[in-house]
Amino acid sequence: SYELTQPQSVSVSPGQTASISCSGDKLGDRYVSWYLQKPGQAPVLVMYQDDKRPSGIPERFSGSNSGNTATLTIGGALAVDEADYYCQTWHGLSSSYVFGTGTKVTVL
Amino acid sequence: EVQLVESGGGLVKPGGSLRLSCAASGFTFRTYTMNWVRQAPGKGLEWVASITGTSSFIYYATSVKGRFTISRDNARESLDLQMDRLTDEDTALYFCVRSGSPVTPEDNNWFDPWGQGTLVAVS
């Protein structure tokens, strides 16, 4: 089966840049999406097809994907960005979607 | 406004069955692949199953294959998940999720939006 590995936690000071990595074999050959989830809420899409921002998502969110690692970057993090973040891709060999292990982002 | 409203969750004994439903509105339901994603208490997201617009292609996670059946009724704009032979590992919040684009194949697609979920407890 295909696995996506994320750091368990990332801490960032307000106004600084947070980078969340997502690692998988030849991940750069696949499209990656990112979701944030706040406690008690449903996940929300923040990035799709590696680097496309849905409408309503602030410009401080950006994405990249190359080699074995995809990265979601929050430039100028705000307290409202505190959440769990998950990456996701499609694994063609098993015809299945895969989510990353999740990263808790703390802004303090 | 796109809305996805799940129902059917509840408490069930191990080995039992449950049927989840999702009522969709605000978009052309028959053109979108629909999905179920679950989240065990305190755990991460796990994709469960997907079904394309005309039900031509159906995909399951290995963990549920042979026990769960995803289906849809385009006339009623509803999505179902029949869950049989449930175990305590199936305890989770089950989200109904639309794929992001109606014309994009699975390998290029994404999940958006998500319903609020319905809770399944196997005990």
Side-chain angles (χ1 to χ4, degrees):
Chain A
S1 63
Y2 191 78
E3 295 181 352
L4 294 176
T5 302
Q6 299 179 234
Q8 198 164 358
S9 62
V10 167
S11 293
V12 61
S13 299
Q16 299 303 303
T17 296
S19 294
I20 307 163
S21 62
C22 172
S23 299
D25 184 50
K26 297 179 183 177
L27 186 56
D29 293 345
R30 315 166 194 274
Y31 275 129
V32 173
S33 302
W34 290 89
Y35 307 85
L36 71 77
Q37 184 181 32
K38 298 187 178 182
Q41 298 183 20
V44 172
L45 177 74
V46 295
M47 199 68 57
Y48 66 99
Q49 290 185 342
D50 296 340
D51 57 5
K52 296 179 176 61
R53 257 181 307 107
S55 61
I57 300 302
E59 289 185 7
R60 63 180 180 273
F61 287 88
S62 63
S64 64
N65 184 19
S66 179
N68 294 321
T69 304
T71 303
L72 179 71
T73 302
I74 310 173
L78 303 177
V80 295
D81 299 329
E82 278 203 348
D84 293 326
Y85 289 80
Y86 296 90
C87 58
Q88 169 257 314
T89 193
W90 168 262
H91 183 232
L93 280 179
S94 59
S95 295
S96 63
Y97 288 105
V98 181
F99 283 96
T101 50
T103 298
K104 183 176 183 62
V105 171
T106 303
V107 181
L108 46 71
Chain B
E1 179 194 4
V2 174
Q3 284 202 323
L4 300 169
V5 180
E6 302 93 337
S7 61
L11 178 63
V12 61
K13 290 181 173 12
S17 299
L18 209 57
R19 189 176 185 90
L20 306 183
S21 293
C22 171
S25 61
F27 64 101
T28 308
F29 182 76
R30 58 181 167 79
T31 65
Y32 283 82
T33 292
M34 296 297 297
N35 314 272
W36 289 99
V37 176
R38 69 184 181 183
Q39 186 170 36
K43 302 296 185 183
L45 301 173
E46 180 188 15
W47 169 76
V48 173
S50 300
I51 183 169
T52 56
T54 57
S55 304
S56 298
F57 295 94
I58 292 175
Y59 309 97
Y60 294 101
T62 303
S63 57
V64 307
K65 200 166 190 176
R67 300 187 300 121
F68 289 12
T69 304
I70 189 172
S71 62
R72 63 190 294 160
D73 184 331
N74 288 343
R76 293 192 302 118
E77 296 190 324
S78 68
L79 174 73
D80 288 342
L81 185 68
Q82 175 66 38
M83 304 185 296
D84 298 320
R85 291 185 279 143
L86 287 161
T87 74
D88 55 0
E89 294 186 344
D90 297 314
T91 293
L93 185 62
Y94 285 72
F95 295 101
C96 170
V97 194
R98 193 192 72 175
S99 283
S101 168
V103 298
T104 303
E106 285 74 20
D107 60 341
N108 290 348
N109 222 318
W110 56 95
F111 297 130
D112 181 57
W114 298 57
Q116 287 304 305
T118 186
L119 186 61
V120 172
V122 184
S123 178

